[in-house]
Amino acid sequence: MRAAGGWPLILARVFGLERERPLLRWLLTFVIVMGAAALLAVSLTTRFTFDIGPVFFWTVVTLVAVALPVRLPGGMVAHLTTAPLVAAVFDTTLPNPFAVACIALVGTIELRDLRREIPWYGTLYNKSTYVLAAVAAWASYAGTSPLVRPGDPLGIVAQIAIVGGAFFFVDTLLALTLASVRTQTPVSRVFALSVRNIFVGLVSQVPLGWLMAIIAIEVGHWAALLFMIPLLLARYSFSKYTETRELFFGSVSALSQAIDAKDGFTRGHADRVSRIAAAIAREMGLPEKQIEQIELAGLLHDIGKIGVEDRILMKPSRLEADEQELMRRHPIYGASILEPSAALRPLVPLVLHHHERYDGSGYPEGLKGDEIPLGSRIIIVADAYEAMTSDRIYRKAIGHDRAMDQLTKYKDVQFDPTVVRAIDQLLSRRGPAAFESSDLPAINYETLAELRRRLARAPVSRDAHAG
Ligand SMILES: [Fe+2]
């Protein structure tokens, strides 16, 4: 990998960043330098007053807000700091913009910063993000203030939207970019995972911040503390979102493991199909919501095998014609297993049609070409590729190149040519490592036979007095 040269490298050395990837190093250095420059600029342009009370107040409120983080999927952490920082921008008793920049710098110090749980340049990046967002918000406030007449509701609402928008945009964009570069995940993916579902909750902190400032000015700063109650409610809803999502993905993984545990020959197959299908879908530029559905359907595509008799499912040799006929019912069983669940119902068509063929000779309905749902066409290719590139008890894996030859040979017959082109592009660009990343929890694969053996060895009453 080529190292970035010139002043960024010198700065990277100063910051001790030279071991990070070039792109991450660039981003960290750039934002930290911009944050420091913004702080210096506002310190030179502010006329200082000596009333430290309001500065102290907002710093403490921000410290309380930052002490209550919510970890979101996708490597991001949500905070309630937007409300007090926006309040500090609108608080006319502060010697702004220097005061708001200082509150953003000192008020956002977290316990993990003091405990050195993240590298110190990570801490500096986060602080720079807050400083830049606060300064951008203040600049929007200063720029729009001459245009807003006192008591003009439309003008005030527009100003709140512009100031809040500036804060939110800079803060969220920089946080998303770092999470994206650090985890090597597209920004759209991080956004879909972490921000999209709690977007309204995050944005609603902006008018709340404005209200806090007005109450602080009109009634007294103490009164703004009452707004901690709606802030804590917002935090509760953020954490509920994360919990619900984890519960849902955990249940889907458990279902997927159930079939994997039973069918010892294809251990981990569903998990890998899911990752491959998601990577192809992303390569094809599908929206994140659809990619997530395809990922889940990939995990559950063979769930209907639970309904296939063990003597057929576990038969180590080739199936007879009548056995094959029974095996071919598994997509229908799968669809009927998923149908009753409202959350899993969108996956039903994808699971039902994962054995159709592009020329219409597949099962269960013999759909042809575009009649087959796109998600199924992607899972069909992922399923075939995974089966060819992993060992089975009755044959060895054939390797990536030969697997691609087979996919190319049977495009238009068995596979959708667009999907084959997408997997080909992906593999030639990134190699088999293209399928490594997934935000699904890692699965511990243990076949039912292994589980039985393990439990047979363990004493039956082992957990009786455990707790
Ligand atoms: Fe299947």
Side-chain angles (χ1 to χ4, degrees):
M1 229 183 266
R2 200 174 67 85
W7 65 266
L9 184 61
I10 298 169
L11 281 170
R13 286 220 174 106
V14 173
F15 289 142
L17 290 170
E18 63 267 40
R19 257 182 276 146
E20 296 290 357
R21 289 195 314 279
L23 186 59
L24 186 59
R25 188 200 297 163
W26 258 96
L27 179 69
L28 288 162
T29 312
F30 178 72
V31 171
I32 293 170
V33 169
M34 288 297 286
L39 198 61
L40 186 70
V42 293
S43 73
L44 296 175
T45 52
T46 305
R47 224 176 298 145
F48 292 96
T49 56
F50 290 93
D51 187 6
I52 198 76
V55 179
F56 182 72
F57 175 80
W58 291 120
T59 306
V60 172
V61 174
T62 315
L63 278 170
V64 173
V66 89
L68 302 166
V70 182
R71 209 157 281 284
L72 299 174
M76 266 185 73
V77 178
H79 285 296
L80 306 170
T81 43
T82 304
L85 290 176
V86 167
V89 172
F90 280 105
D91 187 349
T92 45
T93 65
L94 291 179
N96 272 337
F98 186 61
V100 71
C102 287
I103 296 166
L105 183 71
V106 181
T108 57
I109 293 175
E110 297 170 65
L111 219 51
R112 60 177 183 160
D113 297 326
L114 300 176
R115 287 187 187 143
R116 302 291 302 270
E117 284 169 19
I118 49 175
W120 67 274
Y121 45 81
T123 296
L124 268 189
Y125 181 94
N126 291 338
K127 303 304 152 246
S128 303
T129 301
Y130 283 121
V131 168
L132 288 169
V135 170
W138 187 85
S140 316
Y141 172 76
T144 50
S145 284
L147 308 171
V148 180
R149 277 178 286 115
D152 168 19
L154 265 180
I156 294 172
V157 170
Q159 189 182 34
I160 297 169
I162 292 169
V163 171
F167 183 92
F168 195 75
F169 180 74
V170 174
D171 185 38
T172 310
L173 183 75
L174 292 178
L176 279 175
T177 313
L178 182 68
S180 160
V181 173
R182 198 165 52 80
T183 58
Q184 292 182 287
T185 314
V187 173
S188 59
R189 174 80 174 153
V190 183
F191 179 82
L193 279 175
S194 54
V195 180
R196 195 180 58 202
N197 292 290
I198 57 160
F199 191 74
V200 176
L202 290 173
V203 171
S204 63
Q205 288 188 61
V206 170
L208 200 64
W210 175 79
L211 264 174
M212 285 171 94
I214 299 302
I215 297 291
I217 299 165
E218 299 293 330
V219 184
H221 280 83
W222 63 270
L225 289 177
L226 292 173
F227 288 92
M228 290 310 281
I229 298 165
L231 272 181
L232 288 173
L233 278 176
R235 178 180 185 268
Y236 180 72
S237 75
F238 295 166
S239 61
K240 276 286 159 244
Y241 160 67
T242 310
E243 271 175 37
T244 312
R245 194 187 148 83
E246 274 169 11
L247 199 67
F248 177 61
F249 275 83
S251 311
V252 169
S253 291
L255 266 173
S256 172
Q257 279 181 73
I259 181 64
D260 260 358
K262 196 173 172 191
D263 180 0
F265 307 137
T266 58
R267 205 147 57 129
H269 168 71
D271 181 47
R272 284 190 298 271
V273 168
S274 156
R275 284 163 206 259
I276 296 168
I280 299 174
R282 191 161 292 118
E283 178 73 19
M284 292 174 75
L286 301 186
E288 284 301 329
K289 185 83 196 149
Q290 200 179 353
I291 296 174
E292 192 172 282
Q293 269 182 11
I294 293 170
E295 202 166 14
L296 288 170
L299 212 47
L300 295 176
H301 72 283
D302 272 342
I303 192 73
K305 283 188 179 171
I306 283 178
V308 177
E309 288 171 62
D310 283 7
R311 66 174 178 90
I312 300 172
L313 190 65
M314 295 175 169
K315 192 174 175 184
S317 52
R318 289 221 170 269
L319 298 179
E320 303 299 326
D322 58 326
E323 292 170 334
Q324 226 165 52
E325 199 44 49
L326 290 170
M327 187 68 151
R328 281 175 164 222
R329 291 187 190 166
H330 79 269
I332 301 171
Y333 295 154
S336 61
I337 289 170
L338 303 181
E339 180 69 42
S341 155
L344 299 174
R345 204 165 298 138
L347 314 180
V348 167
L350 278 66
V351 169
L352 181 63
H353 298 296
H354 82 272
H355 279 287
E356 304 285 1
R357 289 165 62 111
Y358 201 65
D359 64 0
S361 64
Y363 59 91
E365 288 179 9
L367 298 186
K368 198 175 178 180
D370 292 352
E371 291 167 5
I372 309 166
L374 177 59
S376 303
R377 279 179 269 149
I378 292 174
I379 292 171
I380 293 162
V381 170
D383 196 4
Y385 178 82
E386 201 290 320
M388 287 188 282
T389 52
S390 58
D391 287 330
R392 292 282 186 274
I393 207 157
Y394 40 86
R395 56 150 182 76
K396 278 281 189 205
I398 63 168
H400 299 285
D401 293 336
R402 283 184 54 203
M404 261 330 293
D405 289 345
Q406 290 295 311
L407 290 181
T408 314
K409 188 173 165 192
Y410 291 105
K411 68 180 180 190
D412 289 312
V413 181
Q414 196 173 345
F415 310 115
D416 178 348
T418 332
V419 180
V420 174
R421 206 173 313 128
I423 193 174
D424 191 21
Q425 277 170 8
L426 190 64
L427 279 168
S428 46
R429 205 176 61 243
R430 294 185 53 192
F435 308 130
E436 297 297 295
S437 83
S438 168
D439 57 285
L440 295 175
I443 294 176
N444 170 28
Y445 287 102
E446 187 175 39
T447 62
L448 207 55
E450 283 168 348
L451 185 70
R452 282 192 192 119
R453 265 200 301 278
R454 183 163 65 82
L455 292 184
R457 279 198 306 271
V460 176
S461 61
R462 71 202 156 102
D463 288 326
H465 305 288

